[in-house]
Amino acid sequence: MKSMINAKQLTHEFFRRDEEGNVEGISVALDHVDLDVAPGAFIAILGHNGSGKSTLAKHINALLTPSEGTLLVDGMDVSDPERTLSIRESAGMVFQNPDNQIIATVVEEDVGFGPENMGIPTDEIWQRVESALKGVGMWKYREHSPNRLSGGQKQRVAIAGVMAMEPKCIILDEPTAMLDPGGRAEVLQVAHELNRKKGITIILITHYMEEVVDADYVYVMEKGHIIMDGTPREIFSRVDDLIAHRLTVPQITLLAHRLKAAGLDIPEGILTREELIKALCP
Amino acid sequence: MFREITLGQYYPADSVLHRLDPRVKLFATLIYIIVLFIAEKPIPFLVITAALIAVIVMSKVPFSYMVRGLRGIVMLLVIAGVFNLFMTPGIVVYKIGPFEISDIGLKNAIIMVVRMVYLIIGTSLMTLTTTPNQLTDGLERSLRPLSRLGAPVHEISMMMSIALRFIPILVEETDKIMKAQMARGADFESGGLITRAKAMVPILVPLFVSAFRRASDLAMAMEARCYHGGEGRTKMKPLTYKASDRVAYVLIMAFLVAVAVLSLI
Ligand SMILES: Nc1ncnc2c1ncn2[C@@H]1O[C@H](COP(=O)(O)OP(=O)(O)O)[C@@H](O)[C@H]1O
Ligand SMILES: [Mg+2]
């Protein structure tokens, strides 16, 4: 099957410049990254601040172009300026700060912003806005001002704004970082629903370990490299590696790991409370 | 202290005026301003007054809302009135001590004050019955011919609507920064003008930093949603004229002609 996103040796260098504009130094934000995402998958990308996650996300949206290597989004090369708009139509992006990505003063108008830019006829814009807002459970707030919504609601509006463009893939760049636990749960639930019901490929960038447990596949990034990849169970089986990279492990996984180290006969990579109970009292 | 500012003083109601196309209201406001400056004699002013009262009644907006706009210009009105009253040469009709009031001065002062009061009431009628969004939309459509001459009409209206979205956010942020500085002992209320201006620096610096960050985030978010200027863009809420809008245009032109004719005879 054709892949949704395919990166080969993708590299991006930022040039640091002094006041005269001379190059002072180079920081390599992405260092020969290989990545392949199948259509309809739910992928998580984990990593500390500055590990290059946002830089990768911006490449997928053609907001940055590779310094080296290639990146194909739905078969289109991000280095080709002719395809920029088509790439942004197939791969939508939700950013971290809910306030700084809502453009209009009314919820429904914000959701319509993307389709307006794409030149969709008025009637169809309204159909798309309705189905997108219903899809994220924000239809009854359509006439509200975004300023009065909670963080989780704003993020759902932002997701609807991307949904209305009917993309094949949505990249969520730390969409929960500025939300309270309630808001985080709302956003994650919507992302999983879009993946299950509409078959949209989801790339969830986060630094919360608990959020990746339900993903199909996980990439862990550090200093522009992918240092680990695998299913959540494979990743969480390597508790010592994760700790060595200063990544936190979900409490249940850590507990199971310690129990195993203390001599109990249970498998590695336990992700949920139920699994642990089952392993302890078979 | 900043929370009291409400931007765009829209008063939601269901009236003929609220439902009019914003282009009609912009055009009407323009004609109204022209008419106010054509009129000099009592009869045209009576016609204007009658029209103004009719529109106020139709708008279903409480009269007190329109008068609110006047509070800001009371001083201006008094100064302009006094200057016109005492400084205009002509036949002296009153004498108060060393001050003389001439017939022309009296007339000029009255016209001046009536014009300014009517101007404020008329323009606030438009902003009270039109949402800021409709206003920018109307402006964009009305000025579209200018874009053929190279004027950045779409860009300006986009800037206006983004400003409308972000002003409340920045106002709230200013409030937060001020409270944070006050908690650290900053004092914004006492001292002379210069001391107080200096106290504002620690507010403005973080505010600007944040505003620039927001601007760059927003630009990226807009690009990510395929924004590429006004070209090839469709509208979710396109402006279309209804029968009532056409009637309104006819009435506005009739009003212009009536006042112009009455001013000439
Ligand atoms: N616009 C930029 N100019 C220069 N360096 C940048 C820029 N954006 C990011 N970087 C650098 O690239 C690296 C990766 O950043 P980023 O992709 O934002 O990481 P993450 O999203 O994982 O926190 C960091 O070292 C950061 O300093
Ligand atoms: Mg980031």
Coordinates of all heavy atoms in Angstrom, one line a residue, chain A residues 58 61 63 85 88-89 95 97 99-106 108-110 112-117 119-120 122 125-126 129 146-147 161 165, chain B residues 133 158 161-162 164-166 168-169 172 210 213-215 217-229 231-238:
Chain A
K58 N 6.2 20.5 11.0 CA 6.2 21.6 10.1 C 6.6 21.1 8.7 O 6.1 21.7 7.7 CB 7.0 22.8 10.5 CG 6.3 23.5 11.7 CD 7.2 24.6 12.3 CE 6.7 25.1 13.6 NZ 7.7 25.7 14.4
N61 N 3.7 19.5 6.9 CA 2.7 20.5 6.4 C 3.3 21.5 5.4 O 2.7 22.5 5.1 CB 2.2 21.3 7.7 CG 0.8 21.8 7.5 OD1 0.7 23.0 7.4 ND2 -0.1 21.0 7.3
L63 N 5.5 23.6 5.8 CA 5.8 25.0 6.4 C 7.3 25.2 6.4 O 7.8 26.3 6.5 CB 5.2 25.1 7.8 CG 3.7 25.2 7.8 CD1 3.2 25.0 9.3 CD2 3.1 26.5 7.3
L85 N 0.1 23.8 -1.6 CA -1.3 23.9 -1.2 C -2.0 22.5 -1.1 O -2.7 22.2 -0.2 CB -2.1 24.8 -2.1 CG -1.7 26.3 -1.9 CD1 -2.5 27.2 -2.9 CD2 -2.0 26.8 -0.5
R88 N -1.0 20.8 2.0 CA -1.7 21.3 3.2 C -3.1 20.9 3.2 O -3.7 20.9 4.3 CB -1.5 22.9 3.2 CG -0.1 23.3 3.5 CD 0.1 24.8 3.6 NE 1.5 25.1 3.7 CZ 2.0 26.2 3.4 NH1 1.3 27.2 2.9 NH2 3.3 26.4 3.5
E89 N -3.7 20.6 2.0 CA -5.0 20.1 2.0 C -5.1 18.7 2.5 O -6.1 18.2 3.1 CB -5.6 20.2 0.6 CG -6.1 21.6 0.3 CD -6.5 21.8 -1.2 OE1 -6.9 20.8 -1.8 OE2 -6.4 22.9 -1.7
F95 N -2.0 23.1 16.2 CA -0.9 23.6 17.0 C -1.1 23.5 18.5 O -2.2 23.3 18.9 CB -0.5 25.0 16.5 CG -0.1 25.1 15.1 CD1 -1.0 25.3 14.1 CD2 1.3 25.0 14.8 CE1 -0.6 25.4 12.8 CE2 1.7 25.1 13.4 CZ 0.7 25.3 12.4
N97 N -0.8 26.1 20.9 CA -1.5 27.1 21.6 C -2.9 27.3 21.0 O -3.0 27.8 19.9 CB -0.7 28.4 21.5 CG -1.3 29.5 22.4 OD1 -2.5 29.6 22.5 ND2 -0.4 30.3 23.0
D99 N -5.2 29.5 21.4 CA -5.5 30.9 21.1 C -4.9 31.4 19.8 O -5.5 32.2 19.1 CB -5.1 31.9 22.2 CG -6.1 31.9 23.3 OD1 -7.3 31.9 23.0 OD2 -5.8 32.0 24.5
N100 N -3.7 30.9 19.6 CA -3.0 31.5 18.4 C -3.2 30.8 17.1 O -2.5 31.0 16.1 CB -1.5 31.5 18.7 CG -1.1 32.3 19.9 OD1 -2.0 33.0 20.5 ND2 0.1 32.3 20.3
Q101 N -4.2 30.0 17.0 CA -4.5 29.4 15.8 C -6.0 29.5 15.4 O -6.4 29.0 14.4 CB -4.2 27.9 15.7 CG -4.9 27.1 16.8 CD -4.4 25.7 16.8 OE1 -4.2 25.0 15.8 NE2 -4.1 25.1 18.0
I102 N -6.8 30.2 16.2 CA -8.2 30.5 15.9 C -8.2 31.9 15.3 O -7.8 32.9 15.9 CB -9.1 30.3 17.1 CG1 -9.1 28.9 17.5 CG2 -10.5 30.8 16.8 CD1 -10.0 28.5 18.6
I103 N -8.7 32.0 14.0 CA -8.5 33.2 13.3 C -9.7 34.1 13.4 O -9.6 35.3 13.4 CB -8.2 32.9 11.8 CG1 -6.8 32.3 11.7 CG2 -8.3 34.1 10.9 CD1 -6.7 31.0 11.1
A104 N -10.9 33.5 13.4 CA -12.1 34.3 13.3 C -12.7 34.6 14.7 O -12.3 34.0 15.7 CB -13.2 33.6 12.5
T105 N -13.7 35.5 14.8 CA -14.3 35.9 16.0 C -15.5 35.1 16.3 O -16.1 35.3 17.4 CB -14.6 37.4 16.0 OG1 -15.2 37.7 14.7 CG2 -13.5 38.3 16.2
V106 N -15.9 34.2 15.4 CA -17.1 33.4 15.7 C -16.6 31.9 15.3 O -15.9 31.7 14.4 CB -18.3 33.7 14.8 CG1 -19.5 32.9 15.1 CG2 -18.6 35.2 15.0
E108 N -18.0 29.2 14.1 CA -18.3 28.6 12.7 C -17.5 29.3 11.6 O -17.1 28.6 10.7 CB -19.8 28.7 12.4 CG -20.4 30.1 12.4 CD -21.9 30.2 12.2 OE1 -22.5 29.1 12.3 OE2 -22.4 31.3 11.9
E109 N -17.2 30.6 11.8 CA -16.4 31.3 10.7 C -15.0 30.8 10.8 O -14.3 30.7 9.7 CB -16.5 32.8 10.9 CG -17.8 33.4 10.5 CD -17.9 34.8 10.8 OE1 -16.9 35.5 11.0 OE2 -19.0 35.4 10.7
D110 N -14.5 30.4 12.0 CA -13.2 29.9 12.0 C -13.1 28.6 11.3 O -12.1 28.3 10.6 CB -12.7 29.8 13.5 CG -11.2 29.4 13.5 OD1 -10.4 30.3 13.2 OD2 -10.9 28.3 13.8
G112 N -14.9 27.6 9.0 CA -15.0 27.8 7.5 C -13.8 28.4 6.9 O -13.7 28.5 5.6
F113 N -12.8 28.9 7.7 CA -11.7 29.6 7.1 C -10.8 28.8 6.1 O -10.5 29.2 5.0 CB -10.8 30.1 8.3 CG -9.5 30.8 7.8 CD1 -9.6 32.1 7.4 CD2 -8.3 30.2 7.9 CE1 -8.5 32.8 7.0 CE2 -7.2 30.9 7.5 CZ -7.3 32.2 7.1
G114 N -10.6 27.5 6.5 CA -9.8 26.6 5.6 C -10.5 26.4 4.2 O -9.9 26.7 3.2
P115 N -11.8 25.9 4.3 CA -12.5 25.7 3.1 C -12.6 27.0 2.2 O -12.5 26.9 1.0 CB -13.9 25.3 3.5 CG -13.6 24.7 4.9 CD -12.5 25.4 5.5
E116 N -12.7 28.2 2.9 CA -12.8 29.4 2.1 C -11.5 29.6 1.3 O -11.5 30.0 0.1 CB -12.9 30.6 3.0 CG -14.3 30.8 3.6 CD -14.5 32.1 4.4 OE1 -13.4 32.5 5.0 OE2 -15.5 32.7 4.5
N117 N -10.4 29.3 2.0 CA -9.1 29.5 1.3 C -8.9 28.5 0.1 O -8.2 28.8 -0.8 CB -7.9 29.2 2.3 CG -7.8 30.3 3.3 OD1 -8.2 31.5 3.0 ND2 -7.4 30.0 4.5
G119 N -11.3 27.6 -1.8 CA -12.2 28.0 -2.9 C -13.4 27.1 -3.0 O -13.9 26.9 -4.1
I120 N -13.8 26.5 -1.9 CA -15.0 25.6 -1.9 C -16.2 26.5 -2.0 O -16.3 27.5 -1.4 CB -15.0 24.8 -0.5 CG1 -13.7 24.1 -0.2 CG2 -16.2 23.9 -0.5 CD1 -13.4 22.9 -1.1
T122 N -19.9 28.1 -1.4 CA -20.5 28.5 -0.2 C -21.4 27.4 0.5 O -21.2 27.0 1.6 CB -21.4 29.7 -0.4 OG1 -20.5 30.8 -0.8 CG2 -22.0 30.2 0.9
I125 N -19.3 24.7 1.9 CA -18.6 25.1 3.1 C -19.5 24.9 4.3 O -19.0 24.3 5.3 CB -18.2 26.6 3.0 CG1 -17.2 26.9 1.9 CG2 -17.6 27.1 4.4 CD1 -16.7 28.3 1.8
W126 N -20.7 25.3 4.2 CA -21.7 25.1 5.3 C -21.8 23.7 5.7 O -21.9 23.3 6.9 CB -23.0 25.8 5.0 CG -22.9 27.3 5.2 CD1 -22.7 28.2 4.2 CD2 -23.0 28.0 6.4 NE1 -22.7 29.4 4.8 CE2 -22.9 29.3 6.2 CE3 -23.2 27.6 7.8 CZ2 -22.9 30.3 7.1 CZ3 -23.2 28.5 8.8 CH2 -23.1 29.9 8.4
V129 N -18.7 22.6 7.5 CA -18.6 23.2 8.8 C -19.5 22.5 9.8 O -19.1 22.1 10.9 CB -19.0 24.7 8.8 CG1 -19.2 25.3 10.2 CG2 -17.9 25.5 8.0
P146 N -14.8 32.5 20.3 CA -13.8 31.5 20.7 C -13.2 32.0 22.1 O -12.8 31.1 22.9 CB -12.7 31.6 19.7 CG -13.2 32.3 18.5 CD -14.4 33.1 19.0
N147 N -13.3 33.3 22.4 CA -12.7 33.8 23.6 C -13.3 33.2 24.9 O -12.8 33.2 25.9 CB -12.7 35.3 23.7 CG -11.8 35.9 22.7 OD1 -10.8 35.3 22.3 ND2 -12.1 37.1 22.3
G161 N -11.6 22.9 12.5 CA -11.1 23.8 11.4 C -10.3 23.0 10.4 O -10.3 23.3 9.2
M165 N -11.4 20.9 6.1 CA -10.6 20.8 4.9 C -10.6 19.4 4.3 O -10.0 19.2 3.3 CB -9.2 21.4 5.1 CG -9.2 22.8 5.6 SD -7.6 23.4 6.2 CE -6.7 23.4 4.7
Chain B
N133 N -17.7 42.0 12.3 CA -17.4 41.2 11.2 C -18.1 41.6 9.9 O -17.6 41.7 8.8 CB -17.9 39.7 11.4 CG -16.8 39.0 12.1 OD1 -15.6 39.3 12.0 ND2 -17.2 38.0 12.9
M158 N -8.7 41.8 6.3 CA -8.2 40.6 7.1 C -7.5 41.1 8.3 O -7.7 40.6 9.4 CB -7.2 39.8 6.2 CG -6.7 38.6 6.8 SD -7.9 37.4 7.4 CE -8.3 36.5 6.0
S161 N -10.1 42.2 10.8 CA -10.8 41.2 11.6 C -9.9 40.4 12.5 O -10.3 40.0 13.6 CB -11.5 40.2 10.6 OG -10.7 39.9 9.5
I162 N -8.6 40.3 12.2 CA -7.7 39.7 13.1 C -7.5 40.5 14.4 O -7.4 40.0 15.5 CB -6.3 39.3 12.4 CG1 -6.6 38.2 11.4 CG2 -5.3 38.9 13.5 CD1 -5.4 37.8 10.6
L164 N -9.7 42.5 15.6 CA -10.9 42.3 16.4 C -10.8 41.0 17.3 O -11.3 41.0 18.4 CB -12.1 42.2 15.5 CG -12.5 43.5 14.8 CD1 -13.6 43.2 13.8 CD2 -13.0 44.4 15.9
R165 N -10.2 40.0 16.7 CA -10.1 38.7 17.4 C -9.0 38.9 18.6 O -9.2 38.3 19.6 CB -9.7 37.6 16.5 CG -9.0 36.5 17.1 CD -9.8 35.2 17.1 NE -9.1 34.1 17.7 CZ -9.0 33.9 19.0 NH1 -9.7 34.6 19.8 NH2 -8.3 32.9 19.5
F166 N -7.9 39.6 18.3 CA -6.9 39.6 19.3 C -6.9 40.7 20.3 O -6.2 40.6 21.3 CB -5.5 39.5 18.6 CG -5.2 38.1 18.2 CD1 -5.6 37.6 17.0 CD2 -4.6 37.2 19.1 CE1 -5.4 36.2 16.6 CE2 -4.3 35.9 18.8 CZ -4.7 35.4 17.5
P168 N -9.2 41.6 22.5 CA -9.6 41.2 23.8 C -8.6 40.3 24.5 O -8.4 40.4 25.7 CB -10.9 40.4 23.5 CG -11.3 40.8 22.2 CD -10.1 41.2 21.4
I169 N -7.9 39.5 23.7 CA -6.9 38.6 24.2 C -5.7 39.4 24.8 O -5.2 39.2 25.9 CB -6.4 37.6 23.2 CG1 -7.5 36.6 22.8 CG2 -5.2 36.8 23.7 CD1 -7.1 35.6 21.7
E172 N -6.7 41.2 28.0 CA -6.7 40.3 29.1 C -5.2 40.1 29.6 O -4.9 40.0 30.8 CB -7.3 39.0 28.7 CG -7.8 38.2 29.9 CD -8.7 37.0 29.4 OE1 -9.6 37.3 28.7 OE2 -8.4 35.9 29.7
S210 N 5.0 39.0 23.7 CA 4.0 38.1 23.5 C 3.2 38.3 22.2 O 2.8 37.4 21.5 CB 3.1 38.1 24.7 OG 1.8 37.9 24.4
R213 N 5.1 37.0 19.3 CA 5.0 35.5 19.3 C 3.7 35.0 18.7 O 3.6 34.2 17.9 CB 5.3 34.9 20.6 CG 6.1 33.6 20.5 CD 5.9 32.7 21.7 NE 4.5 32.6 22.1 CZ 4.0 33.0 23.3 NH1 4.8 33.6 24.2 NH2 2.7 32.9 23.5
R214 N 2.6 35.7 19.2 CA 1.3 35.3 18.8 C 1.2 35.6 17.3 O 0.6 34.7 16.5 CB 0.2 36.1 19.5 CG -0.1 35.6 20.9 CD -1.2 36.5 21.5 NE -1.3 36.3 22.9 CZ -1.9 35.3 23.5 NH1 -2.4 34.4 22.7 NH2 -1.9 35.2 24.8
A215 N 1.7 36.7 16.8 CA 1.6 37.0 15.4 C 2.2 36.0 14.5 O 1.7 35.6 13.5 CB 2.1 38.4 15.1
D217 N 2.9 32.8 15.4 CA 2.1 31.6 15.5 C 0.9 31.6 14.5 O 0.6 30.7 13.8 CB 1.6 31.4 16.9 CG 2.7 30.8 17.8 OD1 3.8 30.7 17.4 OD2 2.3 30.4 18.9
L218 N 0.2 32.8 14.6 CA -1.0 32.9 13.8 C -0.7 32.8 12.3 O -1.4 32.2 11.6 CB -1.7 34.2 14.2 CG -3.1 34.3 13.6 CD1 -4.1 33.4 14.3 CD2 -3.6 35.7 13.6
A219 N 0.4 33.5 11.9 CA 0.7 33.5 10.5 C 0.9 32.1 10.0 O 0.5 31.7 9.0 CB 1.9 34.4 10.3
M220 N 1.6 31.3 10.9 CA 1.9 29.9 10.5 C 0.6 29.1 10.5 O 0.3 28.3 9.6 CB 2.8 29.3 11.5 CG 3.4 28.0 11.1 SD 4.8 27.5 12.0 CE 6.1 28.4 11.3
A221 N -0.3 29.3 11.5 CA -1.6 28.6 11.5 C -2.4 28.9 10.3 O -3.1 28.1 9.7 CB -2.3 28.9 12.8
M222 N -2.4 30.2 9.8 CA -3.1 30.6 8.6 C -2.6 29.9 7.4 O -3.3 29.4 6.5 CB -3.1 32.1 8.5 CG -4.0 32.8 9.5 SD -3.8 34.6 9.5 CE -4.6 35.0 8.0
E223 N -1.3 29.9 7.3 CA -0.6 29.2 6.1 C -1.0 27.8 6.1 O -1.3 27.2 5.1 CB 0.9 29.4 6.2 CG 1.4 30.5 5.3 CD 2.9 30.4 5.3 OE1 3.5 29.6 4.6 OE2 3.5 31.2 6.1
A224 N -0.9 27.1 7.3 CA -1.2 25.7 7.4 C -2.6 25.4 6.9 O -2.9 24.3 6.5 CB -1.0 25.2 8.8
R225 N -3.5 26.4 7.0 CA -4.9 26.2 6.5 C -5.1 26.8 5.1 O -6.1 27.2 4.8 CB -5.9 26.8 7.5 CG -6.0 25.8 8.7 CD -7.3 25.9 9.4 NE -7.3 26.8 10.5 CZ -8.4 27.3 11.0 NH1 -9.6 27.1 10.5 NH2 -8.3 28.1 12.1
C226 N -4.0 26.7 4.4 CA -4.0 27.1 3.0 C -4.3 28.5 2.7 O -4.7 28.9 1.6 CB -5.1 26.2 2.2 SG -4.6 24.5 2.0
Y227 N -4.1 29.4 3.6 CA -4.3 30.8 3.3 C -3.2 31.3 2.4 O -2.1 31.1 2.6 CB -4.3 31.7 4.6 CG -4.5 33.1 4.3 CD1 -5.8 33.6 4.0 CD2 -3.5 34.1 4.4 CE1 -6.1 34.9 3.7 CE2 -3.8 35.4 4.2 CZ -5.0 35.8 3.8 OH -5.3 37.1 3.6
H228 N -3.7 31.9 1.3 CA -2.7 32.4 0.3 C -3.2 33.7 -0.3 O -3.2 33.9 -1.5 CB -2.3 31.4 -0.8 CG -3.5 30.9 -1.5 ND1 -4.4 29.9 -0.9 CD2 -4.0 31.1 -2.7 CE1 -5.3 29.7 -1.8 NE2 -5.2 30.4 -2.8
G229 N -3.7 34.6 0.6 CA -4.2 35.9 0.1 C -5.7 35.8 -0.4 O -6.3 34.7 -0.2
E231 N -6.9 35.9 -3.3 CA -7.1 35.3 -4.7 C -7.7 33.9 -4.6 O -7.3 33.1 -3.8 CB -5.8 35.2 -5.4 CG -5.8 35.4 -6.9 CD -4.4 35.3 -7.4 OE1 -3.5 36.0 -6.9 OE2 -4.2 34.5 -8.3
G232 N -8.8 33.7 -5.4 CA -9.3 32.3 -5.4 C -10.1 31.9 -4.1 O -10.4 30.8 -3.9
R233 N -10.3 32.9 -3.3 CA -11.0 32.6 -2.0 C -12.5 32.7 -2.2 O -13.0 33.6 -2.9 CB -10.6 33.7 -1.0 CG -10.2 33.1 0.3 CD -9.6 34.1 1.2 NE -9.7 33.5 2.6 CZ -10.6 33.9 3.4 NH1 -11.4 34.9 3.2 NH2 -10.7 33.2 4.6
T234 N -13.2 31.7 -1.6 CA -14.7 31.9 -1.6 C -15.1 32.4 -0.2 O -14.3 32.5 0.7 CB -15.3 30.5 -1.9 OG1 -14.7 29.5 -1.1 CG2 -15.2 30.1 -3.3
K235 N -16.4 32.7 -0.1 CA -16.9 33.2 1.1 C -17.9 32.3 1.7 O -18.8 31.7 1.1 CB -17.6 34.6 0.9 CG -16.6 35.7 0.6 CD -16.2 36.3 2.0 CE -15.2 37.4 1.8 NZ -14.7 37.8 3.1
M236 N -17.8 32.1 3.0 CA -18.8 31.3 3.7 C -20.1 32.1 3.9 O -21.2 31.5 3.8 CB -18.2 30.9 5.1 CG -19.1 30.1 6.0 SD -18.2 29.8 7.5 CE -19.4 28.8 8.4
K237 N -19.9 33.4 4.1 CA -21.1 34.2 4.3 C -21.0 35.4 3.3 O -20.7 36.5 3.7 CB -21.1 34.8 5.7 CG -21.3 33.7 6.8 CD -21.3 34.3 8.2 CE -21.5 33.2 9.2 NZ -21.3 33.7 10.6
P238 N -21.3 35.1 2.0 CA -21.2 36.1 1.0 C -22.3 37.2 1.2 O -23.4 36.8 1.7 CB -21.4 35.4 -0.3 CG -22.1 34.1 0.0 CD -21.9 33.8 1.5

